[in-house]
Amino acid sequence: MSSNNILESVKSSTKEVVNLCNWISISESSLPALIDALKGTLQDARPSKFPLNFKNLEDEVNFVALYGLVSFGSGFRDQLHEAIGRGAQETSLFLMLSIYISNENGIPDSTHLTNIKEHDIQSWMNLPATEETPVESLPGVFAVSSSHLMELVKKMTFVLNTTGEILKMKNFSSLGEFCLRYGNSKDPSILIHALSSTFPAFHDIEEVYGKEVYLLKKAQVTAYQLSLLYPDRFGRQGLCIFADNVIPTVLYLYGILKIPAELKEKLENKKLLEKEEITVLRASSVFVCELISERTKIPSPQLDQALWKLGKFSPEVRNSPRFSYQDTIMF
């Protein structure tokens, strides 16, 4: 696919999947209550600031792009909170800050990425290597096994290693240089297409019902954050929301997404979803937010940030279980 219509493909493919799915429906009559609730979390778009002294333009662009790259692990949220008291997004940021602070040679370039080992990731994320489980038949006795969070460590290591290998193969010194090459202040789809077609960890395209569903969460959020920092180099026109597991949960809790009893039971009991289920939920969140954006004229990325904050800071939403899926490196 060319870059010209990749963002339109996000909108059209998610709408098509919602129409094909026979177990989800959208309650448009519930939208006004959510729109009203968003007034408390909507704010003007502003760039993220990080507590680092960047050496140059490429250094800062590289950090933002790598942070986008490792922004996944939401399915491990409960285990992360239990082990280290941080959620997935905070853990990804903590990882990136640790990578930068520990790197004495400047920008974490392609070679640095290929040399990262699992024990590095585990140390930087401050994750336990083992976990103890009580033995039911022996009170006071615990069985020691490899921590379930090591699965997340393996995924992070794989993503960073493979991205470094591809950068070296294509003669880019860093992911920052790659983004600067393809950044365009008028058209973010050029960068999004380049990221998603070059790096598997940005290729957020799933298949359900025999149809490809373009979601491109990490590529879009990377383009968006870069556009806020350097609007003369990166654009954000036409971006959709950054579909993860949080926004579908918020839309469900506000009565907009109607789901079957089986899926409600999975949510309430914190059971992992199937690939079809989470893909349809993510696609539905894109579709709904495009409806809201059309009605309110609020850009989808700002809606995304407002919904995400609602999910994070509203007690009734934050304390509710979230849709969860672990077999992914996309969100």
Side-chain angles (χ1 to χ4, degrees):
M1 169 169 293
S2 69
S3 63
N4 293 336
N5 55 1
I6 197 166
L7 290 173
E8 283 304 315
S9 291
V10 175
K11 297 171 187 177
S12 62
S13 67
T14 51
K15 181 178 181 179
E16 182 179 23
V17 163
V18 171
N19 290 333
L20 285 172
C21 180
N22 61 10
W23 54 260
I24 199 164
S25 60
I26 311 296
S27 174
E28 294 192 32
S29 63
S30 299
L31 288 176
L34 175 62
I35 293 170
D36 189 59
L38 289 176
K39 293 175 183 176
T41 57
L42 268 174
Q43 62 181 39
D44 292 336
R46 61 188 69 173
S48 298
K49 296 295 183 181
F50 304 102
L52 296 169
N53 293 318
F54 296 109
K55 299 172 181 64
N56 51 43
L57 171 66
E58 182 184 337
D59 199 19
E60 186 167 20
V61 171
N62 193 48
F63 181 89
V64 172
L66 288 174
Y67 181 30
L69 179 77
V70 300
S71 289
F72 65 93
S74 61
F76 296 87
R77 176 177 181 257
D78 290 341
Q79 293 99 318
L80 287 167
H81 271 292
E82 183 177 344
I84 56 175
R86 286 191 298 269
Q89 197 64 39
E90 291 172 292
T91 302
S92 295
L93 178 56
F94 191 83
L95 169 62
M96 279 310 308
L97 292 172
S98 299
I99 289 175
Y100 259 69
I101 291 169
S102 65
N103 184 29
E104 299 175 354
N105 299 319
I107 294 174
D109 60 13
S110 55
T111 300
H112 187 77
L113 297 182
T114 60
N115 290 332
I116 289 174
K117 302 291 189 284
E118 287 181 12
H119 64 80
D120 296 321
I121 298 292
Q122 181 201 338
S123 173
W124 289 330
M125 295 173 79
N126 196 28
L127 298 180
T130 60
E131 58 189 17
E132 295 183 345
T133 307
V135 179
E136 291 185 12
S137 59
L138 299 170
V141 177
F142 293 82
V144 179
S145 58
S146 176
S147 170
H148 187 59
L149 289 171
M150 290 305 292
E151 288 185 35
L152 180 58
V153 169
K154 292 178 187 296
K155 291 179 188 294
M156 287 287 183
T157 309
F158 170 79
V159 163
L160 291 167
N161 288 169
T162 54
T163 300
E165 289 164 3
I166 293 168
L167 286 168
K168 289 173 72 173
M169 183 176 66
K170 294 187 174 293
N171 296 315
F172 286 98
S173 63
S174 71
L175 191 56
E177 184 193 3
F178 182 93
C179 289
L180 286 166
R181 173 79 60 85
Y182 290 99
N184 185 295
S185 63
K186 298 286 194 296
D187 187 3
S189 68
I190 296 171
L191 175 59
I192 291 165
H193 179 266
L195 287 169
S196 61
S197 62
T198 305
F199 304 100
F202 280 113
H203 190 75
D204 191 5
I205 302 171
E206 301 291 353
E207 184 173 319
V208 289
Y209 311 136
K211 305 289 184 180
E212 284 190 326
V213 188
Y214 286 71
L215 296 159
L216 306 176
K217 178 249 181 183
K218 295 195 301 185
Q220 288 195 85
V221 77
T222 299
Y224 180 64
Q225 291 297 337
L226 288 173
S227 76
L228 297 179
L229 280 169
Y230 297 106
D232 57 328
R233 290 177 176 270
F234 301 95
R236 57 180 179 271
Q237 305 91 322
L239 294 178
C240 303
I241 64 159
F242 320 127
D244 56 7
N245 66 319
V246 175
I247 294 177
T249 303
V250 174
L251 296 178
Y252 163 71
L253 291 173
Y254 272 85
I256 295 163
L257 292 186
K258 301 295 184 181
I259 60 175
E262 179 186 352
L263 197 51
K264 290 180 184 177
E265 190 269 339
K266 283 187 175 183
L267 175 63
E268 291 164 3
N269 292 285
K270 298 184 177 182
K271 294 182 179 179
L272 296 176
L273 272 56
E274 300 295 328
K275 179 181 175 181
E276 176 194 316
E277 293 168 334
I278 192 63
T279 301
V280 169
L281 286 166
R282 294 176 72 204
S284 299
S285 70
V286 175
F287 176 71
V288 168
C289 287
E290 286 300 307
L291 288 179
I292 297 174
S293 182
E294 288 172 11
R295 294 186 183 188
T296 62
K297 307 307 177 187
I298 299 168
S300 290
Q302 282 179 257
L303 276 178
D304 177 284
Q305 302 299 288
L307 283 163
W308 210 82
K309 286 176 182 171
L310 193 63
K312 188 174 179 64
F313 297 116
S314 170
E316 62 270 24
V317 178
R318 180 170 177 78
N319 296 327
S320 299
R322 296 179 182 178
F323 294 117
S324 187
Y325 183 71
Q326 288 184 347
D327 190 20
T328 184
I329 55 173
M330 298 302 166
F331 64 94

